[in-house]
């Protein structure tokens, strides 16, 4: 059986002041489509597996809001981790839950892992590639990644290395498949620039495909303690003992799947993804996701923009009507929310997180 797990428990702090604890990035409309990032992710998944086989993994404080959002999947498929343990914890919890709920063995279950923070405007090439990646994962004892051709030395992504002149391992010419030489999560800028120059690296799209037995085995090599936690957690959930499950889960480290598993895994393969793809990671991503005016500005919520260039001016006031105006800006971001305002140069978009931390410290 094939299932899809959409990871949707991130905090999305870099989209403050729009993203908040109870309404993080994945529940916001950030691509100009009118749908939330999570709605888009669910819709894409429905073209690959039936709704009953789609799971959303999230944090407990978001579970009800997601269940109430009428996304077209069963309410019990919105699963909540007992506490936040990053994407490694998320996938361990989802795996244990799915094993406990179905009567299938880990060999019989193939899982596709998707994220809730990506813009993929063309569904058809995406569905073809992902359908193929699922089939490859079902047939091979390997962790399957989807690689995106890199276009800038981005430090916020993982990089997938293939050998020079690597030959495709796939049977179908339409879908190349390469063995992965190494996986490097979030390199420094100079490393990322070297990777791009070498021509041997893909960006990691953040989507993964594997049989659950392969996931268990590879975790056993990469991180035996976490693999044991997966086993204990599965036992606790099978025994219908949520308190024991929560205690077991609590002991996991807060680490992403990229560091915990992918960087250390033995057998990784990559399917190149030939579709438009973007991680909607911070405010500057709107340059790529929204239409720009003749001066390169992104304007949302009808602000008055005079003599500005290459700036993002976002009036996000929902409850109150606030007029927003900007004059003479260059490469700036201005976001006006109902109860908060953000102003910064575009190249500081990664630092918005510092504001959130600072406000949290103030209490
Ligand atoms: N359920 C759950 N629990 N989901 C989580 C958690 C968690 O604790 N933490 C993050 N997520 C969700 C986010 O909501 C997002 O949809 C997805 O997992 C990925 O998390 P990010 O925090 O956005 O990861 P990233 O973008 O920094 O890096 C990953 O994705 C990149 C591509 O988008 C890595 O896989 C990189 O290697 C990759 O290039
Ligand atoms: Mg992301």
């Amino acid at each position: 059986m094939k299932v899809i797990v959409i990871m949707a428990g991130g905090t999305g702090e870099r989209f403050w002041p729009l993203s908040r604890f109870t309404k993080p990035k994945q529940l916001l409309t950030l691509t100009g489509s009118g749908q939330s990032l999570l709605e888009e992710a669910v819709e894409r998944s429905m073209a690959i597996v039936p709704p009953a086989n789609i799971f959303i993994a999230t944090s407990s404080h978001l579970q009800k809001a997601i269940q109430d959002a009428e996304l077209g999947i069963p309410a019990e498929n919105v699963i909540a981790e007992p506490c936040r343990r990053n994407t490694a914890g998320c996938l361990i919890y989802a795996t244990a839950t799915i094993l406990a709920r179905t009567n299938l063995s880990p060999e019989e279950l193939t899982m596709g892992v998707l994220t809730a923070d990506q813009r993929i405007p063309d569904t058809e090439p995406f569905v073809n590639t992902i359908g193929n990646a699922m089939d490859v994962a079902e047939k091979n004892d390997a962790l399957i990644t989807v690689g995106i051709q890199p276009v800038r030395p981005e430090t916020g992504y993982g990089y997938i290395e293939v050998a020079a002149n690597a030959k495709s391992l796939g049977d179908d010419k339409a879908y190349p498949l390469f063995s992965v030489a190494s996986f490097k999560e979030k390199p420094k800028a100079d490393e990322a620039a070297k990777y791009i120059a070498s021509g041997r690296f893909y960006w990691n799209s953040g989507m993964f495909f594997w049989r659950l037995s392969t996931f268990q085995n590879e975790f056993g090599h990469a991180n035996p303690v976490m693999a044991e936690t997966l086993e204990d957690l599965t036992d606790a959930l099978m025994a219908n003992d949520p308190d024991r499950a929560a205690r077991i889960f609590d002991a996991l480290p807060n680490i992403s799947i990229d560091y915990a598993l992918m960087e250390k895994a033995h057998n990784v393969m990559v399917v190149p993804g030939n579709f438009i793809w973007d991680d909607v990671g911070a405010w500057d991503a709107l340059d790529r996701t929204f239409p720009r005016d003749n001066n390169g500005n992104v304007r949302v919520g009808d602000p008055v923009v005079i003599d500005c260039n290459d700036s993002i001016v976002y009036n996000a006031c929902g409850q109150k009507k606030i007029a927003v105006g900007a004059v003479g800006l260059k490469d700036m971001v201005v976001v006006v929310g109902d109860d908060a305002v953000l102003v910064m140069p575009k190249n500081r978009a990664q630092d918005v997180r510092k504001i959130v931390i600072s406000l949290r410290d103030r209490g």
Side-chain angles (χ1 to χ4, degrees):
M1 183 166 103
K2 289 174 178 154
V3 297
I4 284 182
V5 173
I6 302 173
M7 300 191 290
T11 49
E13 287 168 343
R14 283 166 293 181
F15 275 102
W16 184 90
L18 244 63
S19 67
R20 296 296 168 91
F21 183 64
T22 51
K23 193 166 185 189
K25 168 173 83 167
Q26 52 275 29
L27 302 180
L28 300 176
T29 310
L30 291 169
T31 65
S33 72
Q35 287 183 306
S36 72
L37 289 165
L38 181 58
E39 277 176 285
E40 289 183 22
V42 172
E43 209 169 279
R44 281 194 295 270
S45 305
M46 283 185 176
I48 302 165
V49 297
N53 296 17
I54 300 173
F55 292 81
I56 297 176
T58 191
S59 313
S60 26
H61 72 279
L62 297 175
Q63 188 179 27
K64 182 146 187 333
I66 293 179
Q67 283 170 332
D68 290 348
E70 295 186 2
L71 296 168
I73 66 163
E76 66 272 18
N77 285 16
V78 180
I79 52 186
E81 292 120 46
C83 57
R84 225 180 101 71
R85 288 291 180 268
N86 214 309
T87 50
C90 160
L91 293 178
I92 284 178
Y93 198 79
T95 301
T97 304
I98 291 166
L99 283 171
R101 282 205 199 160
T102 58
N103 273 330
L104 298 174
S105 72
E107 287 75 29
E108 292 169 300
L109 279 157
T110 300
M111 183 193 277
V113 178
L114 307 185
T115 77
D117 64 346
Q118 298 182 349
R119 184 182 82 104
I120 299 169
D122 298 331
T123 307
E124 198 188 319
F126 168 83
V127 169
N128 292 340
T129 304
I130 299 313
N132 170 57
M134 283 282 229
D135 289 344
V136 170
E138 197 171 39
K139 290 186 205 128
N140 290 275
D141 226 348
L143 305 176
I144 312 301
T145 56
V146 173
I148 306 290
Q149 201 61 51
V151 290
R152 58 179 189 277
E154 172 68 55
T155 54
Y157 297 160
Y159 284 74
I160 296 169
E161 181 184 14
V162 294
N165 306 317
K167 294 230 161 35
S168 172
L169 308 169
D171 327 320
D172 185 343
K173 276 209 181 103
Y175 297 107
L177 171 71
F178 300 109
S179 178
V180 170
S182 77
F183 184 104
K184 316 267 191 200
E185 179 62 4
K186 298 191 173 50
K188 298 230 168 354
D190 54 340
E191 281 295 306
K194 277 190 220 157
Y195 295 165
I196 305 260
S198 79
R200 285 186 289 104
F201 285 79
Y202 290 98
W203 277 339
N204 171 36
S205 66
M207 300 180 237
F208 305 105
F209 305 85
W210 45 60
R211 279 206 315 270
L212 291 189
S213 47
T214 310
F215 179 68
Q216 288 172 325
N217 291 340
E218 286 285 355
F219 237 126
H221 296 302
N223 203 320
V225 177
M226 290 178 83
E228 213 176 298
T229 305
L230 169 58
E231 231 174 88
D232 294 347
L233 191 65
T234 310
D235 286 347
L237 292 175
M238 278 180 168
N240 214 356
D241 188 344
D243 291 342
R244 179 153 68 97
R247 278 196 306 277
I248 293 167
F249 190 77
D250 188 60
L252 278 173
N254 186 335
I255 183 170
S256 82
I257 196 69
D258 317 283
Y259 292 115
L261 177 64
M262 299 312 296
E263 283 199 335
K264 297 180 186 143
H266 285 151
N267 198 4
V268 184
M269 294 179 186
V270 61
V271 170
N274 292 321
F275 46 83
I276 300 168
W277 172 95
D278 216 320
D279 174 286
V280 187
W283 280 113
D284 57 333
L286 267 65
D287 273 347
R288 304 187 298 270
T289 61
F290 273 85
R292 300 168 77 166
D293 69 17
N294 291 340
N295 297 320
N297 302 304
V298 171
R299 304 192 236 170
V300 185
D302 205 21
V304 179
V305 174
I306 297 169
D307 294 339
C308 291
N309 286 290
D310 304 314
S311 294
I312 296 168
V313 185
Y314 197 127
N315 183 354
C317 292
Q319 288 147 27
K320 303 170 198 147
K321 268 220 163 306
I322 296 179
V324 175
V327 183
L329 302 184
K330 169 87 180 112
D331 293 320
M332 293 289 289
V333 177
V334 177
V335 184
V336 180
D338 281 323
D339 58 357
V341 175
L342 169 73
V343 181
M344 67 176 172
K346 216 189 267 176
N347 64 7
R348 300 294 302 273
Q350 296 295 326
D351 290 331
V352 173
R353 191 171 260 159
K354 293 181 185 166
I355 302 177
V356 178
I357 293 167
S358 195
L359 286 171
R360 202 181 293 143
D361 289 348
R362 282 192 201 173

